[in-house]
Amino acid sequence: MIAAHRDDAFDVEDVQRPRRHVLVFYGVGGIGKTTLSRQISAHLTDPESGPEHWAPVDVNLGRLVPVRIDLSKQNAVGIETVLLAVRLAVAELGVPMAAFDLAFLRYWEQCHPGDPLEDHLRRHTVLNRYGGAGRLRAQLESTLGDVAAAVALPGTVGLLAGQGLRAVVRALRERRRAARALAGCRRLPDLLESDPDQETLSYYAHLLAWDLKQLPEGKTATPVILLDTFEDVGDRTNRELERLIQRVVWLMPNALFVITGRNRLQWDDPSLEGQLDWAGPAVWPQLVPGASEDPRQRRVGYLSQIDAEHYLRRRLTLEDRPLMDVPTRRTLITRSGGLPLYLDMAVMRFLDLHERTGHAPAMDEFDHEFPALVARIFRDLPAEERTVLRSVSLLDSFSVELATAAAGLGRDAAALRLADRPFVDVTPGAQWPYRLHELVRSAIRDTDTSSDDRWSPDDWQRAAQRAFDALGRDFARHGRGPGRQALLGCLRQGLRLARDYDLELGWLGDAARAYVRDFVWEPLDGGIGDEPDTPAAALGETLVVVAARQRRHRALTAEKLRAILATDLLPPDLEELPRYFLAECDRELGDLRASLEGMRDVAARGGALAPDAARGILHLTRRLGHFSEAIALAEELGDAGKRDRAIGEILWSQGAIAPACASFTQARDLALNSGLDGEAGLCQAYLAFASAFQDRGRSIQQIERAADMLAGTHARFAELQVGNARLLLDAGRADNLPDRAAALVASAVENGLSSCAAYARLAACFHAAIRGSAELMDAARSQLRESVHGDEFAYLMEISYFMTNENVPSSLPKARWIDGDMRTRARWRRLVTERRAELGLDGGS
């Protein structure tokens, strides 16, 4: 920045160019922003001061003139004080600021008649600390004398007030050319013509910037203006002082402004046009979120564990040793979440107890919730903003619109202000980008018992209902769209609100059905309990259990679902959810009778899962090898019942690989076009599996695509099916295939996925048939028999005999093949001989 404004092309009078000379540090109270501001000022004044790890000031930057201004309300700082403080600081350069000084003297004469400037500087507590009043007086007198000479007034004009000053200004007005010649500042005459008030005064910053640009070599300097406690400049509704200060910043592009405060600087927000002179990302490009070029806005985040430890050790000492023991410090640091305000209160409470008892209290001896934390936070917030804060404490995350609706307000102003508070974390681009610091959130909900405007239980209940209804509107707008993040967010937050405040399920039923429709199983942790006692808790527990079945044994899932059904808490239209997935678990666990009964029950109800139940009945029929009946049922399913996938599952078992792949491809594309990514991933897994029997090149591509589509979906069955595809791809090639198959079987059994285990064992049989090894085949069939229970999966054992063209034992239940066992046998034998020919084994015989 300094190098840029020293360039000859830099024009200090260009008031249109975007500004890049503001550095902002903002963050929660107590984090050390004021300390940082003071240390920067001290370090620039004396490079030997400041923290040891700070680098020395770069000599190439030239002379830096720091001036630190505390804008806190108790200091009653206005635009006049700001400009005077800066002028006092640059007085140490020993050079008059002709343009600024002349205009300022006129302002002072008009607005402070009878009050000498030097006396005012001595009386003013804030300005007096800067010193330099004598130097400033001498420079002002010099300016006035030079101007008098320039306009050829008789005598010497050395007075700072009265007739002398008015005569000089009058002469300059009459001789505008002389005024320009005096300084070369083209805006000086216009500013001298303007009525001197605070509005006009703020524009004088331009004159001071121009004067600094004219400094001779050896006298040049860059002011570093540190504005601290910037949150006290305005309350986000009255920005008058902020507007004047922003004008000063804009008009002094050859100074560096370091602004510290609790709130993010909003000057990059174009909606503030009209309240501020310059607003938007085009004019303040380095203040926008995500800007990477310095200087820019930097959030001074919460304390790291190391910083928090350092703070507690240094804050409490006795004989140069930490007063607080290590376990207590660690516990407080963990509970604080990096919030310095919490640590400060913990220290005060610790000291209070220590003084009373004479010993260091243990962690369990003092209250760690600190209701005062709420009071300190609320102290800075107007009433509407407190309402919004309490409302959003009910939510994991929120948007401005959601916060406004939950608070029951008619406009967004309070929510917009809250969103910029430093205890609100931001995730740009998220549906609900804002999140309260967890400690602040819990403190508001759990310890807000003493504030004057605290909420009653009914207030919290009404706010929960408003938030729930607003989430429902978000679900209606976004929850059924592409992607699932909106759906998941609505479900997680809606389930918790409905459970905690015993709300009617409402839109949650549709959201739950949308969640299971795509068969993608992102976890829904949501804090759901193990023993549901409300309809919302029962629904939440159902979804959690159904999703978790991808990562646990099906027997555990079945037990949980039976327990949920036994509570009789779910309304009739939602009972199909646990009933359907219980029937699925029973099928995977080999209890086909119970599974068939459950599927028929769900199908008869005619609800959202009726088509899936019809397909479940088909699956059971297929597992029993009743393929002629299964194909007829599949034709009746339609797209909602995933007809093409069901047909593909039947056709591959007939050895009809090409038609099966065509069906799986059709099913995948239909799912993708419908936005059903989970279903599309499952179809792709089946396509990879079926193609691996025959076409190596195509299979490699399909396996890779399946892996990509399933990434992050938590679809365990589909993942294992891709593993089976890899086994089939390497059948006849990999010596270790039986061991790999055994490992996949173990994983499938661990998850209660009996069909995946059976298909892995069939892959081992395919490998043995290709190798032509009776020993390998005996071992593979021995393993496959463990999957056969009566008629269930007996058809896979029959296929193993088709592969080797052996007679099927009479004791084995026979499948009802679609076009007879002879044609089916021929297709399976052909798959083996083709692979043998590909590998050059016995000429493919």
Side-chain angles (χ1 to χ4, degrees), residues 51-74:
E52 295 179 358
H53 63 277
W54 282 19
V57 178
D58 189 347
V59 295
N60 294 320
L61 297 177
R63 187 171 184 179
L64 303 176
V65 179
V67 50
R68 183 177 174 276
I69 305 169
D70 186 349
L71 299 170
S72 54
K73 290 179 180 177
Q74 60 265 32

PDB file of all heavy atoms in Angstrom, residues 51-74:
ATOM      1  N   PRO A  51       5.383  -7.468  21.489  1.00  0.00           N
ATOM      2  CA  PRO A  51       5.754  -8.866  21.729  1.00  0.00           C
ATOM      3  C   PRO A  51       7.079  -9.229  21.075  1.00  0.00           C
ATOM      4  O   PRO A  51       7.435  -8.707  20.018  1.00  0.00           O
ATOM      5  CB  PRO A  51       4.582  -9.645  21.083  1.00  0.00           C
ATOM      6  CG  PRO A  51       3.435  -8.680  21.079  1.00  0.00           C
ATOM      7  CD  PRO A  51       4.048  -7.336  20.882  1.00  0.00           C
ATOM      8  N   GLU A  52       7.778 -10.162  21.702  1.00  0.00           N
ATOM      9  CA  GLU A  52       9.118 -10.531  21.224  1.00  0.00           C
ATOM     10  C   GLU A  52       9.094 -11.133  19.827  1.00  0.00           C
ATOM     11  O   GLU A  52      10.039 -10.987  19.057  1.00  0.00           O
ATOM     12  CB  GLU A  52       9.765 -11.514  22.206  1.00  0.00           C
ATOM     13  CG  GLU A  52      10.048 -10.915  23.579  1.00  0.00           C
ATOM     14  CD  GLU A  52      10.674 -11.937  24.516  1.00  0.00           C
ATOM     15  OE1 GLU A  52      10.833 -13.108  24.087  1.00  0.00           O
ATOM     16  OE2 GLU A  52      10.988 -11.585  25.665  1.00  0.00           O
ATOM     17  N   HIS A  53       7.992 -11.842  19.499  1.00  0.00           N
ATOM     18  CA  HIS A  53       7.963 -12.536  18.213  1.00  0.00           C
ATOM     19  C   HIS A  53       7.595 -11.615  17.051  1.00  0.00           C
ATOM     20  O   HIS A  53       7.589 -12.046  15.897  1.00  0.00           O
ATOM     21  CB  HIS A  53       6.981 -13.712  18.265  1.00  0.00           C
ATOM     22  CG  HIS A  53       5.556 -13.295  18.501  1.00  0.00           C
ATOM     23  ND1 HIS A  53       5.059 -13.050  19.752  1.00  0.00           N
ATOM     24  CD2 HIS A  53       4.529 -13.076  17.641  1.00  0.00           C
ATOM     25  CE1 HIS A  53       3.775 -12.716  19.662  1.00  0.00           C
ATOM     26  NE2 HIS A  53       3.438 -12.715  18.402  1.00  0.00           N
ATOM     27  N   TRP A  54       7.269 -10.335  17.335  1.00  0.00           N
ATOM     28  CA  TRP A  54       6.951  -9.421  16.252  1.00  0.00           C
ATOM     29  C   TRP A  54       8.228  -9.028  15.515  1.00  0.00           C
ATOM     30  O   TRP A  54       9.256  -8.747  16.122  1.00  0.00           O
ATOM     31  CB  TRP A  54       6.283  -8.164  16.798  1.00  0.00           C
ATOM     32  CG  TRP A  54       4.830  -8.367  17.132  1.00  0.00           C
ATOM     33  CD1 TRP A  54       4.203  -9.559  17.343  1.00  0.00           C
ATOM     34  CD2 TRP A  54       3.833  -7.358  17.307  1.00  0.00           C
ATOM     35  NE1 TRP A  54       2.890  -9.354  17.643  1.00  0.00           N
ATOM     36  CE2 TRP A  54       2.634  -8.015  17.629  1.00  0.00           C
ATOM     37  CE3 TRP A  54       3.855  -5.970  17.240  1.00  0.00           C
ATOM     38  CZ2 TRP A  54       1.450  -7.328  17.870  1.00  0.00           C
ATOM     39  CZ3 TRP A  54       2.674  -5.275  17.482  1.00  0.00           C
ATOM     40  CH2 TRP A  54       1.485  -5.945  17.793  1.00  0.00           C
ATOM     41  N   ALA A  55       8.116  -8.965  14.206  1.00  0.00           N
ATOM     42  CA  ALA A  55       9.269  -8.574  13.391  1.00  0.00           C
ATOM     43  C   ALA A  55       9.503  -7.072  13.502  1.00  0.00           C
ATOM     44  O   ALA A  55       8.562  -6.304  13.748  1.00  0.00           O
ATOM     45  CB  ALA A  55       9.025  -8.953  11.930  1.00  0.00           C
ATOM     46  N   PRO A  56      10.739  -6.630  13.348  1.00  0.00           N
ATOM     47  CA  PRO A  56      11.010  -5.184  13.356  1.00  0.00           C
ATOM     48  C   PRO A  56      10.270  -4.501  12.210  1.00  0.00           C
ATOM     49  O   PRO A  56       9.952  -5.116  11.191  1.00  0.00           O
ATOM     50  CB  PRO A  56      12.527  -5.108  13.152  1.00  0.00           C
ATOM     51  CG  PRO A  56      13.036  -6.469  13.489  1.00  0.00           C
ATOM     52  CD  PRO A  56      11.948  -7.434  13.147  1.00  0.00           C
ATOM     53  N   VAL A  57       9.997  -3.225  12.385  1.00  0.00           N
ATOM     54  CA  VAL A  57       9.339  -2.456  11.329  1.00  0.00           C
ATOM     55  C   VAL A  57      10.280  -2.341  10.133  1.00  0.00           C
ATOM     56  O   VAL A  57      11.460  -2.009  10.281  1.00  0.00           O
ATOM     57  CB  VAL A  57       8.944  -1.055  11.843  1.00  0.00           C
ATOM     58  CG1 VAL A  57       8.305  -0.237  10.721  1.00  0.00           C
ATOM     59  CG2 VAL A  57       7.986  -1.177  13.023  1.00  0.00           C
ATOM     60  N   ASP A  58       9.788  -2.635   8.957  1.00  0.00           N
ATOM     61  CA  ASP A  58      10.591  -2.595   7.735  1.00  0.00           C
ATOM     62  C   ASP A  58      11.040  -1.157   7.450  1.00  0.00           C
ATOM     63  O   ASP A  58      10.209  -0.251   7.290  1.00  0.00           O
ATOM     64  CB  ASP A  58       9.752  -3.135   6.571  1.00  0.00           C
ATOM     65  CG  ASP A  58      10.575  -3.329   5.305  1.00  0.00           C
ATOM     66  OD1 ASP A  58      11.714  -2.824   5.245  1.00  0.00           O
ATOM     67  OD2 ASP A  58      10.069  -3.987   4.376  1.00  0.00           O
ATOM     68  N   VAL A  59      12.346  -0.951   7.389  1.00  0.00           N
ATOM     69  CA  VAL A  59      12.873   0.400   7.161  1.00  0.00           C
ATOM     70  C   VAL A  59      12.479   0.928   5.794  1.00  0.00           C
ATOM     71  O   VAL A  59      12.448   2.151   5.571  1.00  0.00           O
ATOM     72  CB  VAL A  59      14.409   0.418   7.322  1.00  0.00           C
ATOM     73  CG1 VAL A  59      14.793   0.100   8.756  1.00  0.00           C
ATOM     74  CG2 VAL A  59      15.066  -0.579   6.358  1.00  0.00           C
ATOM     75  N   ASN A  60      12.185   0.026   4.847  1.00  0.00           N
ATOM     76  CA  ASN A  60      11.804   0.456   3.504  1.00  0.00           C
ATOM     77  C   ASN A  60      10.430   1.132   3.478  1.00  0.00           C
ATOM     78  O   ASN A  60      10.062   1.745   2.468  1.00  0.00           O
ATOM     79  CB  ASN A  60      11.796  -0.735   2.545  1.00  0.00           C
ATOM     80  CG  ASN A  60      13.192  -1.303   2.343  1.00  0.00           C
ATOM     81  OD1 ASN A  60      14.159  -0.546   2.244  1.00  0.00           O
ATOM     82  ND2 ASN A  60      13.295  -2.623   2.295  1.00  0.00           N
ATOM     83  N   LEU A  61       9.679   0.984   4.567  1.00  0.00           N
ATOM     84  CA  LEU A  61       8.366   1.626   4.611  1.00  0.00           C
ATOM     85  C   LEU A  61       8.465   3.118   4.868  1.00  0.00           C
ATOM     86  O   LEU A  61       7.483   3.845   4.724  1.00  0.00           O
ATOM     87  CB  LEU A  61       7.501   0.969   5.710  1.00  0.00           C
ATOM     88  CG  LEU A  61       7.161  -0.511   5.528  1.00  0.00           C
ATOM     89  CD1 LEU A  61       6.371  -1.021   6.720  1.00  0.00           C
ATOM     90  CD2 LEU A  61       6.382  -0.719   4.235  1.00  0.00           C
ATOM     91  N   GLY A  62       9.640   3.575   5.250  1.00  0.00           N
ATOM     92  CA  GLY A  62       9.798   4.988   5.556  1.00  0.00           C
ATOM     93  C   GLY A  62       9.219   5.323   6.921  1.00  0.00           C
ATOM     94  O   GLY A  62       8.944   4.458   7.744  1.00  0.00           O
ATOM     95  N   ARG A  63       9.010   6.582   7.144  1.00  0.00           N
ATOM     96  CA  ARG A  63       8.537   7.028   8.462  1.00  0.00           C
ATOM     97  C   ARG A  63       7.042   6.732   8.609  1.00  0.00           C
ATOM     98  O   ARG A  63       6.233   7.015   7.706  1.00  0.00           O
ATOM     99  CB  ARG A  63       8.789   8.516   8.632  1.00  0.00           C
ATOM    100  CG  ARG A  63       8.471   9.018  10.034  1.00  0.00           C
ATOM    101  CD  ARG A  63       8.935  10.447  10.210  1.00  0.00           C
ATOM    102  NE  ARG A  63       8.711  10.911  11.578  1.00  0.00           N
ATOM    103  CZ  ARG A  63       9.043  12.122  12.015  1.00  0.00           C
ATOM    104  NH1 ARG A  63       9.632  12.974  11.172  1.00  0.00           N
ATOM    105  NH2 ARG A  63       8.805  12.479  13.257  1.00  0.00           N
ATOM    106  N   LEU A  64       6.667   6.157   9.738  1.00  0.00           N
ATOM    107  CA  LEU A  64       5.279   5.864  10.048  1.00  0.00           C
ATOM    108  C   LEU A  64       4.875   6.691  11.269  1.00  0.00           C
ATOM    109  O   LEU A  64       5.601   6.762  12.253  1.00  0.00           O
ATOM    110  CB  LEU A  64       5.084   4.374  10.353  1.00  0.00           C
ATOM    111  CG  LEU A  64       5.521   3.396   9.255  1.00  0.00           C
ATOM    112  CD1 LEU A  64       5.356   1.959   9.720  1.00  0.00           C
ATOM    113  CD2 LEU A  64       4.724   3.625   7.975  1.00  0.00           C
ATOM    114  N   VAL A  65       3.709   7.306  11.180  1.00  0.00           N
ATOM    115  CA  VAL A  65       3.228   8.157  12.268  1.00  0.00           C
ATOM    116  C   VAL A  65       1.951   7.531  12.827  1.00  0.00           C
ATOM    117  O   VAL A  65       0.882   7.669  12.224  1.00  0.00           O
ATOM    118  CB  VAL A  65       2.952   9.590  11.784  1.00  0.00           C
ATOM    119  CG1 VAL A  65       2.425  10.448  12.934  1.00  0.00           C
ATOM    120  CG2 VAL A  65       4.196  10.195  11.159  1.00  0.00           C
ATOM    121  N   PRO A  66       2.042   6.813  13.950  1.00  0.00           N
ATOM    122  CA  PRO A  66       0.836   6.190  14.496  1.00  0.00           C
ATOM    123  C   PRO A  66       0.003   7.189  15.284  1.00  0.00           C
ATOM    124  O   PRO A  66       0.534   8.064  15.978  1.00  0.00           O
ATOM    125  CB  PRO A  66       1.399   5.105  15.419  1.00  0.00           C
ATOM    126  CG  PRO A  66       2.710   5.635  15.877  1.00  0.00           C
ATOM    127  CD  PRO A  66       3.253   6.452  14.726  1.00  0.00           C
ATOM    128  N   VAL A  67      -1.308   7.056  15.165  1.00  0.00           N
ATOM    129  CA  VAL A  67      -2.228   7.817  16.007  1.00  0.00           C
ATOM    130  C   VAL A  67      -3.396   6.891  16.340  1.00  0.00           C
ATOM    131  O   VAL A  67      -4.099   6.426  15.448  1.00  0.00           O
ATOM    132  CB  VAL A  67      -2.708   9.109  15.324  1.00  0.00           C
ATOM    133  CG1 VAL A  67      -3.221   8.855  13.916  1.00  0.00           C
ATOM    134  CG2 VAL A  67      -3.773   9.789  16.162  1.00  0.00           C
ATOM    135  N   ARG A  68      -3.539   6.623  17.620  1.00  0.00           N
ATOM    136  CA  ARG A  68      -4.569   5.680  18.056  1.00  0.00           C
ATOM    137  C   ARG A  68      -5.721   6.442  18.702  1.00  0.00           C
ATOM    138  O   ARG A  68      -5.514   7.269  19.600  1.00  0.00           O
ATOM    139  CB  ARG A  68      -3.993   4.667  19.048  1.00  0.00           C
ATOM    140  CG  ARG A  68      -4.991   3.623  19.487  1.00  0.00           C
ATOM    141  CD  ARG A  68      -4.379   2.587  20.424  1.00  0.00           C
ATOM    142  NE  ARG A  68      -5.434   1.714  20.898  1.00  0.00           N
ATOM    143  CZ  ARG A  68      -6.233   1.977  21.928  1.00  0.00           C
ATOM    144  NH1 ARG A  68      -6.071   3.101  22.600  1.00  0.00           N
ATOM    145  NH2 ARG A  68      -7.183   1.136  22.281  1.00  0.00           N
ATOM    146  N   ILE A  69      -6.945   6.153  18.239  1.00  0.00           N
ATOM    147  CA  ILE A  69      -8.128   6.866  18.715  1.00  0.00           C
ATOM    148  C   ILE A  69      -9.128   5.838  19.241  1.00  0.00           C
ATOM    149  O   ILE A  69      -9.575   4.952  18.495  1.00  0.00           O
ATOM    150  CB  ILE A  69      -8.768   7.700  17.584  1.00  0.00           C
ATOM    151  CG1 ILE A  69      -7.723   8.635  16.969  1.00  0.00           C
ATOM    152  CG2 ILE A  69      -9.970   8.468  18.097  1.00  0.00           C
ATOM    153  CD1 ILE A  69      -8.177   9.292  15.684  1.00  0.00           C
ATOM    154  N   ASP A  70      -9.456   5.943  20.519  1.00  0.00           N
ATOM    155  CA  ASP A  70     -10.445   5.049  21.134  1.00  0.00           C
ATOM    156  C   ASP A  70     -11.825   5.666  20.941  1.00  0.00           C
ATOM    157  O   ASP A  70     -12.117   6.734  21.467  1.00  0.00           O
ATOM    158  CB  ASP A  70     -10.132   4.882  22.621  1.00  0.00           C
ATOM    159  CG  ASP A  70     -11.039   3.853  23.292  1.00  0.00           C
ATOM    160  OD1 ASP A  70     -12.028   3.427  22.657  1.00  0.00           O
ATOM    161  OD2 ASP A  70     -10.770   3.488  24.452  1.00  0.00           O
ATOM    162  N   LEU A  71     -12.669   4.987  20.168  1.00  0.00           N
ATOM    163  CA  LEU A  71     -13.980   5.531  19.815  1.00  0.00           C
ATOM    164  C   LEU A  71     -15.077   5.134  20.798  1.00  0.00           C
ATOM    165  O   LEU A  71     -16.260   5.312  20.500  1.00  0.00           O
ATOM    166  CB  LEU A  71     -14.370   5.056  18.409  1.00  0.00           C
ATOM    167  CG  LEU A  71     -13.435   5.493  17.277  1.00  0.00           C
ATOM    168  CD1 LEU A  71     -13.788   4.772  15.985  1.00  0.00           C
ATOM    169  CD2 LEU A  71     -13.497   6.991  17.076  1.00  0.00           C
ATOM    170  N   SER A  72     -14.713   4.591  21.953  1.00  0.00           N
ATOM    171  CA  SER A  72     -15.722   4.140  22.910  1.00  0.00           C
ATOM    172  C   SER A  72     -16.609   5.300  23.331  1.00  0.00           C
ATOM    173  O   SER A  72     -16.186   6.463  23.362  1.00  0.00           O
ATOM    174  CB  SER A  72     -15.063   3.499  24.126  1.00  0.00           C
ATOM    175  OG  SER A  72     -14.111   4.357  24.703  1.00  0.00           O
ATOM    176  N   LYS A  73     -17.844   4.958  23.686  1.00  0.00           N
ATOM    177  CA  LYS A  73     -18.848   5.980  23.954  1.00  0.00           C
ATOM    178  C   LYS A  73     -18.449   6.900  25.101  1.00  0.00           C
ATOM    179  O   LYS A  73     -18.754   8.088  25.087  1.00  0.00           O
ATOM    180  CB  LYS A  73     -20.189   5.311  24.252  1.00  0.00           C
ATOM    181  CG  LYS A  73     -20.816   4.655  23.031  1.00  0.00           C
ATOM    182  CD  LYS A  73     -22.130   3.968  23.370  1.00  0.00           C
ATOM    183  CE  LYS A  73     -22.742   3.330  22.126  1.00  0.00           C
ATOM    184  NZ  LYS A  73     -23.983   2.595  22.436  1.00  0.00           N
ATOM    185  N   GLN A  74     -17.766   6.344  26.103  1.00  0.00           N
ATOM    186  CA  GLN A  74     -17.405   7.182  27.238  1.00  0.00           C
ATOM    187  C   GLN A  74     -16.426   8.289  26.863  1.00  0.00           C
ATOM    188  O   GLN A  74     -16.298   9.292  27.569  1.00  0.00           O
ATOM    189  CB  GLN A  74     -16.831   6.352  28.393  1.00  0.00           C
ATOM    190  CG  GLN A  74     -15.582   5.565  28.051  1.00  0.00           C
ATOM    191  CD  GLN A  74     -15.905   4.140  27.653  1.00  0.00           C
ATOM    192  OE1 GLN A  74     -16.965   3.896  27.069  1.00  0.00           O
ATOM    193  NE2 GLN A  74     -15.034   3.209  27.990  1.00  0.00           N
TER     194      GLN A  74
END
